[in-house]
Amino acid sequence: MPPATDALAALVGGFVAAEGCFTKTGHPPRFTFAVGLGATDAGMCELFLAFFGVGHIHHSPRRKAHYDDEVTFAIGSMRDHLDVTIPFMDAHLPESYKRTQYLAWRAELLEYWEHRAKRRRACTVDGCERPRRAHGYCRQHLWTHLGR
């Protein structure tokens, strides 16, 4: 990593330690990494989106008259967590209470991924990468298999 990127990664890691949130909700579980801020700090959420290259930004109106509008950067995709969130946090989230929370969240996410997550599987016909539908075949090969 170039030095400028190291400094930015350290900034992002420290910011996550202060403002980040790792949650698991629902059944089946949905794992989310998010940073929620006041709308005046939307630039930080845009920096997160540009830095990670995945996720989305959501703007919310104020919940009470004396509150600020809110902006949230979030990553909710399981694949994005495996490819981006986990490798970054493992390397750059500083030792902190937030890291302890992250490690528990990561353990649950990886356990779910390994043992319970539904995944698209490829067609069983050699060389076909289309998603499997019924009887182990993609739509095209299923019709061929059924003789239609």
Side-chain angles (χ1 to χ4, degrees), residues 95-112:
E95 289 299 323
S96 59
Y97 183 69
K98 187 63 67 184
R99 184 166 183 87
T100 304
Q101 292 174 332
Y102 159 72
L103 292 173
W105 176 85
R106 181 188 72 176
E108 288 186 62
L109 184 146
L110 293 175
E111 191 278 329
Y112 177 76

Side-chain angles (χ1 to χ4, degrees), residues 123-125 128 130-134 136-143:
C123 179
T124 56
V125 173
C128 183
R130 292 187 187 113
R132 189 184 295 189
R133 299 290 181 200
Y137 298 105
C138 67
R139 184 169 286 140
Q140 177 186 354
H141 290 114
L142 176 63
W143 288 108

Side-chain angles (χ1 to χ4, degrees), residues 22-24 29 31 78 81-82 85-86 89-90 98-116:
F22 299 95
T23 59
K24 174 187 143 194
F31 294 88
M78 182 71 74
H81 288 317
L82 295 169
T85 309
I86 290 175
M89 296 304 164
D90 285 349
K98 187 63 67 184
R99 184 166 183 87
T100 304
Q101 292 174 332
Y102 159 72
L103 292 173
W105 176 85
R106 181 188 72 176
E108 288 186 62
L109 184 146
L110 293 175
E111 191 278 329
Y112 177 76
W113 177 253
E114 290 298 322
H115 301 291
R116 296 178 292 167

Side-chain angles (χ1 to χ4, degrees), residues 46-58:
E46 291 166 11
L47 174 90
F48 273 73
L49 183 61
F51 181 79
F52 287 112
V54 296
H56 63 275
I57 295 175
H58 178 76

Side-chain angles (χ1 to χ4, degrees), residues 54-88:
V54 296
H56 63 275
I57 295 175
H58 178 76
H59 296 269
S60 303
R62 60 191 73 208
R63 291 175 289 161
K64 294 185 179 180
H66 62 283
Y67 285 10
D68 191 6
D69 293 342
E70 297 175 4
V71 62
T72 304
F73 165 78
I75 299 174
S77 162
M78 182 71 74
R79 178 57 56 198
D80 290 343
H81 288 317
L82 295 169
D83 294 342
V84 178
T85 309
I86 290 175
F88 176 81

